[in-house]
Amino acid sequence: MLKAPLAEKTSYVRIWILMLILLLSVVAYADRSILSISGSAIKQEFGLSPIQLGLILSAFSWAYVIGQIPGGLFLDRFGTKRVYGITLALWSLATIAMGFVGEFAQGLTGALALMFALRFLLGLIEAPSFPANARVTIMWFPKAERGRASSLFSSSQYFAVAIFSPLSGWLVSRFGWEWPFFVLGGIGVMTVFIWMWFMKEPRQHPGVSPAELRHIVDGGALVEIDSHAARTAPSRLSKATVKKLLNNRMLWCAYIGQYCIIALSYFFITWFPIYLVQSRGMNILDAGFATIAPALFGFLGGISGGYISDRLITQGWSISWARKTPYIVGMLMASTLVIAAVVSSNVWIIAIMSFAFFGKGVAAGAGTWAVISDTAPKEAVGLAGAIFNGIGNIAGILTPLLFGVIVALTGSYGIGLLFVAAHCIVAALLFLFVMGPIHRVGDAQEDAAAPRYADDKPQVTGHA
């Protein structure tokens, strides 16, 4: 009697790939944020003024924005594995070098110049990291799973705050301000070896089963975007490709949506603790603990947004409304942070901010990197992600500055909160009324299949 054939086993290598880019993203966020933990001790040791310390703190964001487009071009030309591996090694060395400033700097001017240069270099080298994450997601995940994948690496900022801020604080208090840079830089160097060993294209990875590969390919993943043939295609850097990225209304709504999301993030990591101390009367220790709840709710929101978006796709919703709906609802939730200006209880302040950042997480999980993964032209995925992230991170330069100007001119944090909340309303309105249908730019089949703007309604092709 013949035996029934064994059921075909499937692998889950894409999940391990996702865990790997989450690890790299957490390292990247930790490296860029540890200066805020060591900043007070650095200021005291070198006699820096608040303006000089602010200049050093801003160096990363300027370089990060400047480096986005070159970083995206490098990704499209040389591939994700090579560029991510090299930049991870270099930015980890730049982080370690920051701990040696006291050994090599001559006087205040020398220390200021060297710290600014190292932070600027860190921002420049880290620039390709999140566009690289987007490329990995497009390469390894079917369309119906990209929301969850994107939401997880987008939530790395919350992991970095929860894990490395306490660790860095302990290292500073126990060993000195240099040690967070040594420890986190060392972790980064070790992850280079893990990345180079495990990261491969789906068709080339020895751990991928035929069943998983079919699932990835049939689901719409662009498994060939890192192949030699795809990276050296002659049309890759054409003017037509750049024009697609800069003249498309749908993409510009995504760019502005990312700007508004990052404006909320930078308010949280810069002015929110200061607001709690100066306007709400908390001490510094209590303000530090008060940031934990909004961070945790932001993470939960991010995971929820990606799950909801992907779930809507599997339920038959169009890509457009599966991505837009959680984004719009999430940004409207986030706008409620303005209510903090009119309540008197600090407990309610934290509750309101937690609700708002849960909404911000939902929006980020569903409607930022997932959208760019769904829409970027196949020949310029890295460049599209770079433009998207570069425009978005301009908010990292402008939001802290403009919030401070508003508070200085008006003497009111309430007006500043209204300024931040306005970003949420603007973004929700753009996605709802201006963006139009979401589809991959330059794909003839998707362009033809995409509904006209006037007909962009929440279409359901299966059971709702």
Side-chain angles (χ1 to χ4, degrees):
M1 182 176 180
L2 295 175
K3 293 183 179 180
L6 294 175
E8 184 178 13
K9 293 184 178 179
T10 186
S11 58
Y12 296 94
V13 173
R14 67 190 186 282
I15 305 302
W16 290 105
I17 292 288
L18 179 58
M19 293 299 102
L20 182 56
I21 64 172
L22 173 62
L23 172 62
L24 268 60
S25 300
V26 170
V27 170
Y29 260 108
D31 285 345
R32 73 180 69 173
S33 64
I34 53 174
L35 183 59
S36 63
I37 304 298
S38 298
S40 296
I42 292 173
K43 180 176 179 290
Q44 182 176 359
E45 177 170 332
F46 294 101
L48 300 175
S49 70
I51 293 176
Q52 289 169 330
L53 182 59
L55 181 65
I56 296 170
L57 287 167
S58 71
F60 176 91
S61 292
W62 286 101
Y64 191 69
V65 170
I66 292 170
Q68 287 297 311
I69 291 180
L73 294 174
F74 275 118
L75 284 168
D76 286 333
R77 178 61 181 85
F78 299 106
T80 311
K81 179 176 180 176
R82 185 187 306 177
V83 174
Y84 214 157
I86 292 172
T87 55
L88 173 59
L90 291 177
W91 93 56
S92 298
L93 293 175
T95 299
I96 293 172
M98 189 75 175
F100 289 105
V101 167
E103 301 295 326
F104 297 99
Q106 299 295 321
L108 173 60
T109 302
L112 180 64
L114 186 54
M115 284 188 284
F116 183 90
L118 287 172
R119 292 297 292 182
F120 190 92
L121 186 63
L122 179 68
L124 203 61
I125 298 170
E126 268 198 26
S129 58
F130 270 70
N133 291 340
R135 280 180 67 93
V136 173
T137 303
I138 294 169
M139 187 192 317
W140 273 93
F141 285 88
K143 191 174 294 185
E145 295 179 0
R146 284 183 201 148
R148 280 166 286 180
S150 299
S151 69
L152 192 61
F153 76 71
S154 296
S155 299
S156 58
Q157 58 184 297
Y158 304 116
F159 281 103
V161 170
I163 298 171
F164 288 108
S165 290
L167 173 62
S168 298
W170 178 79
L171 288 170
V172 171
S173 63
R174 183 70 176 82
F175 301 105
W177 67 264
E178 304 93 343
W179 278 90
F181 297 100
F182 295 153
V183 171
L184 292 175
I187 292 173
V189 170
M190 288 189 291
T191 59
V192 173
F193 296 99
I194 301 173
W195 169 259
M196 297 303 292
W197 168 69
F198 194 72
M199 177 60 191
K200 294 176 177 63
E201 298 172 47
R203 294 191 191 278
Q204 307 301 322
H205 203 293
V208 176
S209 67
E212 183 179 18
L213 184 60
R214 283 197 304 274
H215 175 73
I216 293 170
V217 173
D218 294 347
L222 306 184
V223 295
E224 306 289 352
I225 61 170
D226 248 14
S227 67
H228 178 76
R231 290 187 286 104
T232 56
S235 63
R236 173 164 303 283
L237 301 179
S238 67
K239 290 182 180 179
T241 299
V242 177
K243 187 176 179 180
K244 290 178 187 177
L245 299 176
L246 297 179
N247 290 353
N248 186 282
R249 176 183 57 197
M250 173 190 64
L251 289 179
W252 268 104
C253 288
Y255 301 157
I256 297 171
Q258 176 73 342
Y259 177 96
C260 294
I261 286 281
I262 293 179
L264 293 173
S265 296
Y266 272 87
F267 160 71
F268 179 66
I269 66 175
T270 58
W271 279 101
F272 180 53
I274 298 172
Y275 161 72
L276 293 177
V277 173
Q278 295 189 353
S279 181
R280 309 304 308 186
M282 291 188 182
N283 60 49
I284 295 175
L285 182 61
D286 289 343
F289 278 105
T291 63
I292 294 176
L296 291 176
F297 275 91
F299 167 71
L300 293 174
I303 299 301
S304 300
Y307 175 81
I308 292 168
S309 180
D310 287 348
R311 181 66 176 169
L312 291 177
I313 291 174
T314 61
Q315 291 293 309
W317 284 51
S318 67
I319 285 287
S320 292
W321 287 100
R323 299 301 188 212
K324 287 182 185 180
T325 302
Y327 182 90
I328 294 166
V329 173
M331 290 304 271
L332 292 177
M333 291 171 63
S335 70
T336 61
L337 65 84
V338 73
I339 300 173
V342 296
V343 300
S344 58
S345 168
N346 285 342
V347 173
W348 274 107
I349 294 290
I350 302 306
I352 290 167
M353 289 295 177
S354 296
F355 178 80
F357 276 88
F358 180 85
K360 181 255 186 187
V362 170
T368 54
W369 283 105
V371 169
I372 211 67
S373 296
D374 291 332
T375 59
K378 294 179 180 178
E379 71 274 17
V381 171
L383 180 58
I387 294 173
F388 169 80
N389 206 35
I391 292 173
N393 274 277
I394 294 174
I397 300 169
L398 295 181
T399 301
L401 175 63
L402 293 178
F403 192 97
V405 169
I406 290 171
V407 172
L409 293 178
T410 66
S412 169
Y413 279 90
I415 303 299
L417 293 174
L418 182 61
F419 164 72
V420 176
H423 287 77
C424 307
I425 303 298
V426 168
L429 293 176
L430 282 175
F431 268 57
L432 181 59
F433 294 114
V434 181
M435 189 177 211
I438 292 174
H439 58 95
R440 191 167 304 283
V441 174
D443 189 310
Q445 291 181 335
E446 292 197 37
D447 283 352
R452 291 172 298 176
Y453 179 65
D455 297 327
D456 181 35
K457 295 181 173 63
Q459 300 177 26
V460 178
T461 57
H463 55 287

